[in-house]
Amino acid sequence: MPEVFTYTFMQRAFLVGNMIALIAPLIGVFLIMKGLSQIGHTISHVALAGVALGILTGIYPVYPAILISVLAALVIEKIREKISDYAELSLSIILAAGMGIATILISLSDNSIGIMSYLFGSLTLVSELDLMIVIPMALIIIVLVFLFYSGFFYLSFNEGDARLAGVPVKLLNILFMVIISTTISLSLRIVGGLLIASLISIPVATALQLARSFKETILYSILAALLAVDSGLIAAYYLDLAPGGTIILLSVIYFLLASGVKFLRERKGFNEK
Amino acid sequence: MNKMAEVRNLYFSYGQEPVLKDINLGINRGDFIVFIGPNGSGKSTLLKLMIGELKPDRGQIQLLGKELNTLREWHRIGYMSQQIRNFNKSFPATVKEVVAAALYKEMGLIKVLNKRLEKRVDEVLELVGMEDFRDRQIGRLSGGQQQKVFIARTLVTKPELIFLDEPLVGIDLNSQEELIKLLNRLNQDLNITIIMVAHELQLIREAQQIAYFNGGEVFLYSQEDFASIGYLNKDILKAETGPEIQYSNGGDYNA
């Protein structure tokens, strides 16, 4: 067995990383197609305020991260529903507020290493407790998306038409926001708060280059994320790099490769015509 | 129950500006009615009020004999908005996926497509002549083909009453003719009641009734009465403010 798989901390990192690679792009597809990728950035910054609060008070940081990011997500959803014209501006304000609170709480705490691991991701710090939380939560998220698959699909395609088709728009939007915030909070450990939004969006962009249907888009984006996370963790281990950055840079490379394949495919199609 | 839609003493305004004043309209099963009139005369507004997308200032609207807020059978009603084709063209969904989404209510606990519903999707695509396109991405189809897919999506829940807001806009002439034939078939063969906003002459000619909107009021004509006014001889497509019609000939509708 290669050395990278023999250490318990790496086994934990792979387990958590692969669960995140399943759920981040899964919800990312719906988020991107709704045109709401900015929400991922905003919630991840707000989640950091939760992490800082957890470190400061000695509570397991993922819990306050989930709580605060879910609350922020519900506020965002309310704003999006009521004043869609300024939705983007509201997101910037909430992002800034989240980051501001996080910075103040971090400055009050003397555990800067702890917070750094949540900013940039960490391999060595993935704990048993992380496993116990991430795996069941990720499974619940997968089941929820599967259960409401068509509803989420219709909401991404056209919210107004979805309402007429009897899709419980409000309920599913709220559920979706809770799922996004939870996913982001769970992902902080491996990818870090500053980069998780990229793991939600880049694999989807990669899949969009190749997929011919919505289902294929979901499948390919999960494959792209799994590939990025696994190759990223291996590279980060052997080259002693920050795992978050390595994973994201590799996803960008896979995106460029997929774009190249698309270009060649289209040129071939054009020549055949 | 023969009455499919009824509007009584309806008032609506955008802010201070009144758009519809004391509108009364009754639509029976199997009717094919076209709303016409100048821009801003409230045609699309009335459609949106009738499907509950807008709330009236005053007055009542009933669909299938029920007030909108008590109506549960929305699957019996179809609506195609004017903006229906303003979707993200790079959305990766196939024709089948888009049509199937409308079956949400019928999907059971797990919201995915089963064999029975898949068959329904195939049937409705065949009805609109798009069965060969089921696995194609919707954003890559022509305007006319997309419109047929959206009609299929509107029909997949087997509605008895459909609302269409300018379904022919932005579509080439050949596709327009095909769509008109299709709408006629839906109305005559499947007895679907059609309420539609349109300004294309060839479509107006197909309708049994014409509701003319002007100055916040609605005047209802049968196809014969309307033709006798000579309105159809005018080039309404070029008209900025709508045709001048003598209303004194009894066209005003009272429920």
Side-chain angles (χ1 to χ4, degrees):
Chain A
M1 192 191 286
E3 185 193 283
V4 63
F5 298 119
T6 57
Y7 292 105
T8 319
F9 76 92
M10 279 311 289
Q11 289 167 356
R12 285 201 291 258
F14 274 106
L15 260 174
V16 171
N18 279 287
M19 288 318 269
I20 300 304
L22 279 175
I23 55 173
L26 178 66
I27 57 139
V29 173
F30 296 102
L31 194 69
I32 307 281
M33 295 329 295
K34 272 167 89 110
L36 300 175
S37 51
Q38 180 66 17
I39 285 182
H41 280 285
T42 304
I43 296 178
S44 58
H45 286 73
V46 174
L48 282 173
V51 167
L53 185 68
I55 290 175
L56 195 64
T57 54
I59 302 169
Y60 175 58
V62 173
Y63 292 143
I66 291 179
L67 184 74
I68 291 182
S69 58
V70 165
L71 283 176
L74 296 180
V75 172
I76 291 170
E77 179 54 23
K78 200 76 197 160
I79 293 172
R80 204 177 69 81
E81 195 186 308
K82 296 283 176 214
I83 44 165
S84 55
D85 289 350
Y86 290 106
E88 211 168 318
L89 184 61
S90 323
L91 285 179
S92 306
I93 295 170
I94 293 171
L95 186 151
M99 210 48 201
I101 295 170
T103 318
I104 290 173
L105 292 176
I106 291 165
S107 71
L108 292 175
S109 150
D110 46 12
N111 183 355
S112 58
I113 297 170
I115 193 79
M116 284 292 276
S117 77
Y118 283 98
L119 279 174
F120 299 108
S122 165
L123 289 183
T124 49
L125 295 178
V126 177
S127 62
E128 279 291 326
L129 186 57
D130 289 327
L131 272 185
M132 303 298 281
I133 304 291
V134 171
I135 293 175
M137 292 286 260
L139 289 175
I140 291 173
I141 289 172
I142 292 168
V143 169
L144 282 175
V145 172
F146 182 68
L147 275 177
F148 295 104
Y149 172 79
S150 285
F152 287 136
F153 167 83
Y154 214 164
L155 277 185
S156 322
F157 188 72
N158 188 324
E159 209 169 290
D161 292 349
R163 183 174 289 115
L164 285 172
V167 175
V169 171
K170 207 169 174 176
L171 182 77
L172 285 192
N173 271 335
I174 290 173
L175 178 64
F176 189 65
M177 284 301 194
V178 173
I179 290 177
I180 298 169
S181 343
T182 312
T183 304
I184 287 173
S185 305
L186 294 176
S187 314
L188 291 175
R189 235 347 179 205
I190 281 285
V191 199
L194 297 182
L195 293 168
I196 174 60
S198 315
L199 192 63
I200 288 175
S201 55
I202 301 171
V204 180
T206 308
L208 283 171
Q209 309 305 310
L210 306 170
R212 283 159 300 188
S213 70
F214 196 77
K215 274 199 186 123
E216 271 187 23
T217 310
I218 292 180
L219 183 70
Y220 292 170
S221 54
I222 290 174
L223 289 176
L226 286 171
L227 189 65
V229 165
D230 287 325
S231 55
L233 285 177
I234 292 170
Y237 171 80
Y238 283 110
L239 303 173
D240 198 18
L241 303 171
T246 318
I247 290 168
I248 297 307
L249 271 187
L250 282 168
S251 347
V252 172
I253 291 171
Y254 300 142
F255 165 73
L256 292 174
L257 286 174
S259 305
V261 170
K262 185 190 181 188
F263 174 74
L264 290 175
R265 205 194 251 174
E266 279 177 359
R267 203 170 69 164
K268 192 169 162 245
F270 183 76
N271 287 341
E272 278 170 5
K273 274 180 194 170
Chain B
M1 201 272 302
N2 223 15
K3 206 61 116 190
M4 298 299 280
E6 191 156 23
V7 175
R8 263 181 271 140
N9 310 112
L10 184 96
Y11 289 80
F12 181 79
S13 50
Y14 285 114
Q16 294 295 313
E17 197 181 331
V19 180
L20 297 167
K21 292 180 279 191
D22 197 18
I23 304 299
N24 290 286
L25 203 61
I27 290 144
N28 294 321
R29 184 178 293 277
D31 279 356
F32 186 159
I33 177 166
V34 176
F35 292 179
I36 63 164
N39 289 340
S41 58
K43 312 178 293 283
S44 296
T45 302
L46 183 58
L47 224 58
K48 284 179 187 157
L49 284 161
M50 290 178 84
I51 56 142
E53 210 169 85
L54 292 173
K55 299 267 171 284
D57 299 340
R58 254 194 295 159
Q60 284 179 312
I61 299 169
Q62 287 192 342
L63 295 182
L64 311 171
K66 287 186 184 134
E67 299 288 330
L68 293 193
N69 53 8
T70 61
L71 183 72
R72 291 285 168 271
E73 301 136 302
W74 283 99
H75 64 278
R76 289 172 62 196
I77 291 155
Y79 172 59
M80 264 178 67
S81 76
Q82 210 174 330
Q83 277 81 37
I84 200 154
R85 285 192 292 121
N86 289 351
F87 62 95
N88 171 5
K89 296 294 183 290
S90 51
F91 199 97
T94 61
V95 164
K96 181 185 141 193
E97 287 175 322
V98 170
V99 175
L103 290 167
Y104 182 86
K105 283 288 247 191
E106 298 176 50
M107 281 177 185
L109 187 63
I110 300 173
K111 301 298 180 190
V112 290
L113 208 59
N114 59 32
K115 285 270 173 261
R116 179 179 62 86
L117 295 179
E118 197 155 333
K119 201 167 156 245
R120 280 262 292 280
V121 173
D122 288 343
E123 282 167 2
V124 83
L125 285 175
E126 210 176 311
L127 180 70
V128 301
M130 289 297 288
E131 65 273 27
D132 295 336
F133 295 83
R134 73 196 285 274
D135 295 320
R136 294 273 292 275
Q137 282 191 21
I138 182 142
R140 299 193 175 177
L141 302 180
S142 74
Q145 290 169 330
Q146 285 172 4
Q147 204 68 338
K148 282 190 205 162
V149 172
F150 287 122
I151 291 181
R153 192 184 69 181
T154 310
L155 296 175
V156 76
T157 56
K158 300 187 173 167
E160 294 154 51
L161 167 65
I162 55 176
F163 293 91
L164 308 164
D165 197 351
E166 307 228 14
L168 300 190
V169 166
I171 289 171
D172 64 86
L173 279 175
N174 281 342
S175 304
Q176 283 194 3
E177 274 175 31
E178 283 179 37
L179 281 172
I180 291 169
K181 275 187 205 152
L182 174 64
L183 292 176
N184 254 331
R185 235 171 55 219
L186 298 179
N187 178 242
Q188 281 160 22
D189 300 349
L190 302 178
N191 201 29
I192 295 175
T193 309
I194 299 179
I195 303 174
M196 164 163 67
V197 174
H199 54 251
E200 294 83 359
L201 211 54
Q202 66 272 40
L203 198 47
I204 296 168
R205 282 202 185 106
E206 300 296 331
Q208 297 149 5
Q209 289 169 298
I210 290 125
Y212 176 62
F213 286 63
N214 204 359
E217 293 179 81
V218 179
F219 306 92
L220 195 74
Y221 301 90
S222 68
Q223 181 66 249
E224 295 76 30
D225 286 349
F226 198 72
S228 69
I229 301 169
Y231 171 75
L232 291 181
N233 297 326
K234 297 190 180 179
D235 187 2
I236 62 155
L237 291 172
K238 287 182 185 163
E240 281 295 314
T241 54
E244 288 186 4
I245 298 177
Q246 295 296 318
Y247 303 126
S248 54
N249 62 1
D252 201 346
Y253 176 87
N254 286 306

